[in-house]
Structure formats: C-alpha cells, structure tokens
C-alpha cells in the first residue's frame, strides 16, 4: 500500500513571485526516502479562506498534509489562530516553548517583547514539534485518518524540524513501502538523442519502472523510478536497467548518482590527489563559489584569481599587454596565459581559466555575446576550447560555469585515468 | 473588477524534490505588473488524471490558467496530447513551427529526428505562441470564459514566450485594474522590532493597503500592497505610508525598492565613482559572483583574490607567515592585511576581505564554526568586524556574503556621503 501526501505552502510572497519556494522540494525529498509520495503541492496566500479551502480538499485525499509558512510574530501571519479554530481548540501558551523562545532572545541580546509571547502559543489539541533553531514551533494534528503538520516557513528551521521531529515519527507510522530513484547524469548529448539511443531499453522497461528525462543547463539527467513493498527486488530491477543505459551511453555518462558537476569534479580531484586553481574573468568567481560550496574543498582547491579588469590580468596573471591589445581579453592567447600563470602563482596541479562576453554589453563585430574561451593546463599540457552560448547574462554564466566544470572532469579523465 | 489566475506546473521532478520551481514566480511577477492576481499555484506530476483534475477545478475559478511543463520530445511528456483531447481537437503539424524546429536543429548541427516532428504538432483548436528560443511551442486555448495558456517548462524559453507573446495579449484583454507593490529593504533589525517600531503606522493603514514582512537571510523586506482601478490614487496612498515607515526606520532602510544588496552596493559605488576589489577566503568567490551577476559591473569591480589556501594569502596578499602561525587565518590581523594588500594589488578605491570558518569542519577550541572576520579599507582607513553565524555551511556563506555587502554599503555611506 502506498502513502500519499499533499504539501500546502502559505504566503502572499509566493503568489506575487517575490519568493521562490524551496521548502516543498526539501520536504518531498525527505518523504520519498520514507516511501511516501507527494501527489500535489499547493501554494496559497495569507488568507483564511484559502487556507481552510486547501485543508478541506486535501485532508480527505491524503495520509499526510504539510503546511509551511504563516507562523511568524507579525500581523500578517494568520496560520496558527486559524489552525487552532479549524481543529476546534484554543491557543494556549506552551511553557516549554516559552522558555525556549526567551532563551533565544536572551542569546541574541534582544529584549523579549509582549508580541513574542504569541510565538509560544500553540493550539491545545496539537502535539508540539520542537523548533531548536527558531521561535515558531511546529505542530502535529490528527483528524479523519490524516496527519496534518504545520511548520514555519524559514527554510533552515523547517528543515531541522522535519529531520529531527517529523521524519522519525512518520517512519515509525508508515512502514513497508519504498520508492527508489536512480539518476544518471549525462553531459554533451541532447534529450532527443538520448531517447533515440536508448529506445529499445526504454520500450522494454517493465511497467513498474518509470524513466524520466530532466534537461538542465548543460546536462540531462535520466531518472529511473520504481516503488513497491519488495525493496531488494525493486532496487535490483532498477539497477539492471541503469547499467544497460550506462553501457549504451558510455562517455556521455558523467555520474551514476544525482550529484552536481562540482561534486563530480571534487571526487575526481580527490581520487587522483590533484589540486586545482582558477583564473576567472567573465564568470566572476562563480566556478570558485560552486567548488567551495562543498565541505572539505580546501583539500584540493587552492583559490581563484578573479581578474575582472584587464589590468588584473596583466598584473597578477602576467597576460601580455600586447596580447590584450591585439588578440583581446576574450581570446585563446589570453586564456592560455591566464591558466598557465594562474597554475604557477596559485601552485596547483591543474588550473583552468575563463574569459568571455556574457552580455548584454561588451560585444564587438568579431566577438558576439556568448563567446567564451577557456584553457586548462597541468605542468605538461595546455588545452584550449571556444564556446558559444546564446542566452542572457545569468544563463550564459550558468552554462559557462558548467562547461568549465565539465572541462576539468574530462581533462582529468583523459590525462590521469 | 479584479482578475484572477491559477498557475499549474507539471512534472514528477517537482513532486520528488529534484527541481525547484522558479517558473511560477516569474509568471506571477509578470501578471502582477498587468494587474492580474495569482490566487493559487498547483504542482502536479506527469499524470493524465492529475492534469485533467487540475484543469477541471481551475477553469471555473479563474480568468486565466497557466500550465508549464510536460512539452518535451520524450515519452514522459504527456501534456500536449492531453490538452488536444481535453479541448476536443486533434494534433496536427503546424508548418510554421515545423520550419522553426528544423531551423533550430540545423543551427545546432544536429540531425532532425522522426520524433522531433512531434515537436511541431499542436492541437488544432489552439492559437500558437511562438517559441523563438526553443522547439516546443506555447499554446493558447479559450473555454468557458477562461484563457488556458500552456508553456514549455524550460525557464528561459517560458520567460521569452511570456514576455513577447503572452503579456501583450493579456494586457490588451484585461484592462483597468492595477496592483501596486512597494518594497522597503531593512538591514540590521529583526521582524518583531520593526513591527514594534511601526505599530501605529501599521494600525492606521487603510483597509485596502496590506503590509507584509518578508524575513530573508540578513535582512527583512517590508512590502506594501494595494490594488484597484484608480492607479494614481492607489500609488499615492501607498507611497505616503512607505515614506512614514522610511522616516521611522531611518538608517535601517537600505533601499526603497525590491533590489538585491549587490544592486544597492553597485548603485553606491557608481554614485560616488568608486572602484571595489575583494580578497575572499571562506566565501570562496561568492561575493564576487554576486557583484558580477550585475550587467555593467566591470565599471566598478576590479576583481577578487580568492585565497582559499593559506599559501595564497601569503603569496598574493602578503599576509605575514607569522600572523598566520600566531593569530591564525581567521583573525583580525589576517583580514586587515588581506584587505590592505588586496586594495594595493587590485588597484581599487575600496577593498573588502573575508576569512572565516563556515563549517562543518575547521573549528578549534578558540574558533567555533560560524566565526568570520572581515575588513574594509580605502587609502586612509581600515575597519574590521567580527561576525558569528550559527547555521550550516551554505547558510553561513549566504549570511557572510550579505554581511560583506552591507559592510561595503555602510562604509560608503559613512566615508563618502
């Protein structure tokens, strides 16, 4: 038997496009790990009727209903009084929550205001889900065979409550059903072409294994999904199909799990005990930022010279003034010098450089927006490559950073395998 | 009379948490500009019944229903055949779309496959919305006084169709009603304290002006919203209240429009004709990345030395070996040297440096995770500041980068006003 959930996110900011909802994705991932499906997500405004309507239609159709948002200390947060009424109880101050809220204010050296008392109020007929990192407690209600869980909208508070309070309780309650996802990351091949190459494998998939294509900037993810009560058999069946696809697509497969390109690069650097440095112009530190998002990156990443101005390219990376004047900052000659000198001054095994025109300005007759040159080198060899991206500034930056990471991945595969 | 819309996003990836939905936010912003409200967003899987159900319940309750996703060339994309059936028509190849799709394949030097023919099929009873940047056309249906618009899920394609094809048609159709948002950005003060300070202003707001608090990492946005048919009066009423709040909050107000901290810094740099450089350790290029996300940043941004390894701090930023050995890399003495030398070698008016421990590793008995030192200097003065962040690596990175941007903003306000 499968378990179904619905996620309701509350907040006017979600309906006017001022905030991007990342909470739902986090909750969905956690639920999937426990074999619970999300069948629908609903975003509504800070409006009593909208919240009641969403609860009325969701509770009869799900085993679990999540609500996030609308629990703050200010006047526009209306969820808690509404839930209290909806489930037929009164709001009362919870002493444990009150002590915790006061402690948080004291730790932050902020006076405890009268209005903050409201943060410690909870509906009397709920079970409190402790919010270790914030003042708004989570709440757990049960009605008509449905569990209703209300959580604050601040992402890291919500995440901690889900991990520490919600999932242990749900895993205890909902057992024996599993969802298994297997993701293959492909680079350098389009969605249609993958589909053609693996047509026979896809057509021969058993009915309970579903294949999905997820195109993202610079790569396509293939996701195989199965679900059921026989965990071992289900995983085995998915893995067999994943291996078939992997063999068929060969070098287009960059990873056999759902990880980022920077994680793939980090794994390759660690495996071969290599250090990396960067000399970034147009990407402005974005590649360095992605790499340093990973904990432990200091083991293999030395640093980046973000040489946005031409004089920085000359001063710190010894790019010849003549090269900048004749070939220009966006040229094979410039990125070659950037990478080679960058590797020398940052003392790494491998260095990659990037210079390009991301737009909207900066184009010339010979050099259009989207032209990007990259170079990668070790002590023996330097490889250069020219790219053309066709989109706006931020998408070009995303594509260039992914292309850079893939260039590192391929360089290591070719020269250190 | 106000106009209502509902946004339906389609894709299993949205329900398993593999993708974050950014499309809805974009569509909502565009609709708001034309006075059209979004009353609900629904995310569902690649499932015929789920799509039909969502359409059945949305069409009677909205003037406009948007669908995004499910229009690709592979087997898991089912929206187009379903829409064709739902609105009682057949799928037929559209010659204009076909020519466009073939041209795209030819430009990318990719063979046109049989399955790509399906990309050029559209339901015969829809109006085609031209997709200049991709192969999947948008579609416009009308039924029961409701406009139903189906768009591809790839963000930049969707965005271009909305801007170029959808909004001009909707603005023509839906006239005379306006939504006005005014956002004040506050820095350095919590949500509750703002609420206390402006209690009387908030209580005196007319019923048709709504105030919302949006806490984000490092700052709180206050949004005043009004809507109606008298555009000039409505804007005037909102602006009066915004000015009252602005006067009350004084220096806590960082901007009077919904812009990012990096845009605020960019505006200040441009206003005072100053150039900036960075020396980033723990933020790993994130501050430089944010600044270079802005078009035209080369006018005021020189570059960043991302000195992730200690030897890079010594080699490129002349941090004394002794300082690193005694005070350590995360110390006032280190960031002072980093900022001052960084300013010198990157030849800027102002330089900011950052060194800290973002976690999860790297803490010592004296230096906990979350300790970050920053320094900012011009040719006359250097200011240092110690920060403590209490969260996980990525949130600490976000908070540190925002604190850095705010430190630049305040330094300019203090020394160049």
């Amino acid at each position: 038997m499968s378990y179904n959930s619905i996620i309701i996110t509350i907040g006017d900011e979600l309906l006017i496009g001022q905030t991007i909802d990342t909470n739902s994705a986090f909750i969905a991932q956690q639920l999937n790990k426990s074999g619970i499906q999300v069948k629908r997500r609903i975003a509504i405004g800070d409006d009593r009727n909208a919240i009641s309507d969403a609860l009325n239609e969701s509770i009869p159709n799900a085993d679990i209903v999540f609500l996030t948002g609308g629990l703050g200390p200010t006047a526009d947060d209306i969820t808690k009084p509404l839930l209290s009424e909806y489930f037929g109880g009164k709001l009362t101050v919870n002493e444990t929550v009150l002590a915790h809220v006061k402690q948080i204010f004291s730790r932050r050296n902020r006076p405890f205001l009268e209005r903050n008392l409201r943060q410690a109020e909870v509906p009397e007929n709920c079970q409190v889900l402790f919010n270790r990192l914030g003042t708004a407690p989570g709440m757990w209600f049960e009605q008509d065979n449905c569990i209703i869980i209300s959580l604050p909208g601040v992402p890291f508070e919500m995440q901690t409550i889900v991990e520490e309070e919600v999932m242990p309780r749900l895993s205890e309650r909902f057992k024996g059903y599993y969802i298994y996802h297997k993701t293959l990351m492909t680079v350098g091949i389009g969605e249609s072409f993958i589909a053609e190459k693996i047509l026979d494998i896809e057509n021969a998939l058993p009915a309970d294994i579903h294949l999905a294509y997820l195109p993202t900037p610079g790569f396509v993810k293939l996701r195989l999904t199965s679900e059921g009560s026989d965990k071992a058999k289900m995983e085995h069946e998915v893995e067999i199909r994943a291996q078939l696809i992997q063999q068929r697509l060969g070098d287009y497969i960059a990873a056999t799990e759902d990880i980022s390109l920077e994680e793939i690069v980090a794994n390759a650097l660690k495996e071969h005990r290599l250090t990396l440095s960067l000399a970034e112009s147009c990407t402005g530190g974005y590649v360095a930022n992605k790499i340093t998002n990973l904990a432990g990156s200091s083991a293999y990443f030395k640093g980046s010279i973000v040489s946005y101005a031409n004089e920085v390219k000359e001063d710190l990376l010894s790019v010849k003034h003549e090269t900048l004047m004749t070939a220009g900052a966006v040229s094979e000659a410039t990125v070659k010098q950037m990478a080679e000198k960058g590797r020398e001054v940052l003392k790494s095994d491998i260095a990659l450089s990037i210079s390009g025109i991301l737009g909207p300005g900066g184009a010339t007759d010979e050099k259009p927006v989207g032209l990007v040159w990259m170079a990668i080198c070790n002590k023996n060899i330097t490889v250069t490559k020219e790219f053309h991206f066709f989109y706006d500034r931020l998408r070009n930056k995303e594509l260039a950073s992914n292309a850079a990471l893939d260039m590192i991945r391929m360089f290591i595969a070719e020269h250190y395998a």
Side-chain angles (χ1 to χ4, degrees), chain A:
Chain A
M1 189 195 140
S2 67
Y3 307 115
N4 272 318
S5 66
I6 292 173
I7 301 173
I8 302 170
T9 47
I10 302 167
D12 288 340
E13 65 276 15
L14 297 164
L15 297 187
I16 67 168
Q18 199 164 24
T19 309
I20 305 265
D21 170 29
T22 56
N23 286 344
S24 298
F26 176 84
I27 294 172
Q29 285 167 15
Q30 298 297 313
L31 290 173
N32 269 225
K33 284 185 203 160
S34 288
I36 299 164
Q37 289 182 322
V38 178
K39 64 188 232 187
R40 179 179 272 216
R41 290 166 33 189
I42 304 170
I44 50 177
D46 295 302
D47 176 88
R48 294 179 64 89
N49 291 332
I51 301 173
S52 295
D53 288 350
L55 284 172
N56 286 339
E57 66 185 62
S58 299
I59 291 175
N61 291 304
D63 301 301
I64 309 157
V65 173
F66 277 86
L67 294 133
T68 65
L71 296 179
T74 48
D76 59 318
D77 288 317
I78 56 171
T79 306
K80 203 158 59 177
L82 180 130
L83 289 179
S84 178
E85 219 173 90
Y86 190 93
F87 295 106
K90 283 204 311 271
L91 279 176
T92 51
V93 170
N94 179 298
E95 291 303 327
T96 315
V97 176
L98 180 62
H100 173 64
V101 172
K102 284 189 168 165
Q103 195 206 339
I104 285 187
F105 275 78
S106 130
R107 199 181 69 182
R108 295 182 189 162
N109 286 319
R110 290 193 167 172
F112 185 82
L113 306 173
E114 186 63 26
R115 73 167 59 227
N116 299 116
L117 250 185
R118 278 170 30 197
Q119 294 282 74
E121 287 181 345
V122 294
E124 54 192 357
N125 46 359
C126 84
Q127 195 180 332
V128 169
L129 303 170
F130 184 61
N131 181 356
R132 187 164 58 78
L133 297 178
T135 56
M139 294 169 280
W140 172 296
F141 302 87
E142 301 199 18
Q143 184 172 294
D144 300 334
N145 283 319
C146 182
I147 295 167
I148 301 94
I149 297 165
S150 168
L151 299 170
V154 181
F156 70 101
E157 297 181 17
M158 181 281 300
Q159 289 170 15
T160 306
I161 302 176
V162 167
E163 284 171 343
E164 296 179 359
E165 302 288 328
V166 174
M167 291 319 300
R169 286 175 172 84
L170 289 181
S171 304
E172 186 58 36
R173 190 80 76 96
F174 298 98
K175 284 181 177 164
Y177 196 81
Y178 307 93
I179 301 172
Y180 186 65
H181 299 295
K182 171 80 183 184
T183 298
L184 300 173
M185 302 248 317
T186 70
V187 181
I189 178 170
E191 189 180 356
S192 305
F193 294 88
I194 297 172
E196 286 298 315
K197 274 185 180 290
I198 63 172
L199 189 62
D200 57 323
I201 303 173
E202 185 167 1
N203 286 339
L205 284 179
D208 59 349
I209 297 184
H210 179 70
L211 173 65
Y213 293 75
L214 298 170
T216 57
F219 47 96
V220 177
K221 293 181 185 180
L222 302 182
R223 188 189 64 233
L224 289 159
T225 301
S226 184
E227 51 186 85
S229 50
D230 188 341
K231 194 176 179 211
K233 178 168 174 291
M234 189 177 83
E235 293 190 7
H236 177 70
E237 292 286 328
V238 168
E239 287 297 336
I240 286 175
R241 271 71 188 191
Q243 278 164 27
L244 287 176
I245 295 173
Q246 201 185 334
Q247 282 157 18
R248 183 72 55 84
L249 296 180
D251 287 345
Y252 291 120
I253 301 283
T256 58
E257 53 186 325
D258 190 4
I259 60 176
S260 61
L261 276 175
E262 49 270 31
E263 286 173 285
I264 294 171
V265 166
N267 291 341
L269 289 168
K270 282 188 281 190
E271 186 189 338
H272 299 285
R273 299 175 178 278
L274 296 168
T275 56
L276 174 73
S277 64
L278 302 167
E280 296 182 68
S281 182
C282 64
T283 48
Y286 192 32
V287 180
N289 176 50
K290 284 187 169 188
I291 288 170
T292 59
N293 277 347
L294 303 175
S297 45
S298 58
Y300 46 83
F301 182 63
K302 295 283 192 152
S304 178
I305 294 175
V306 181
S307 53
Y308 216 58
N310 274 352
E311 56 186 317
V312 178
K313 295 183 185 76
E314 288 186 51
D315 293 348
L316 294 185
L317 292 165
S318 306
V319 176
K320 288 180 195 139
H321 188 73
E322 197 198 323
T323 305
L324 292 171
M325 289 300 105
T326 52
V330 181
S331 66
E332 184 171 24
T334 295
V335 291
K336 192 167 182 294
Q337 294 172 47
M338 284 171 68
E340 289 170 359
K341 189 69 181 182
R343 199 186 76 82
E344 196 184 310
V345 298
L346 293 165
K347 297 179 181 166
S348 62
D349 297 312
I350 297 175
L352 175 122
S353 66
I354 312 170
S355 184
I357 303 154
L358 297 185
T364 63
D365 281 354
E366 298 87 46
K367 296 183 180 176
V369 165
L371 171 66
V372 177
W373 273 99
M374 299 191 201
I376 186 165
C377 67
N378 61 15
K379 69 179 191 303
N380 302 315
I381 188 171
T382 302
V383 179
T384 59
K385 198 165 170 189
E386 182 183 3
F387 296 86
H388 289 268
F389 304 113
F390 297 102
Y391 309 110
D392 64 15
R393 182 177 183 85
L394 291 187
R395 189 175 169 85
N396 286 341
K397 201 175 187 183
E398 186 66 44
L399 288 166
S401 71
N402 285 338
L405 290 166
D406 194 48
M407 199 160 162
I408 301 170
R409 174 184 80 86
M410 303 230 291
F411 187 82
I412 297 172
E414 197 162 326
H415 296 281
Y416 298 90

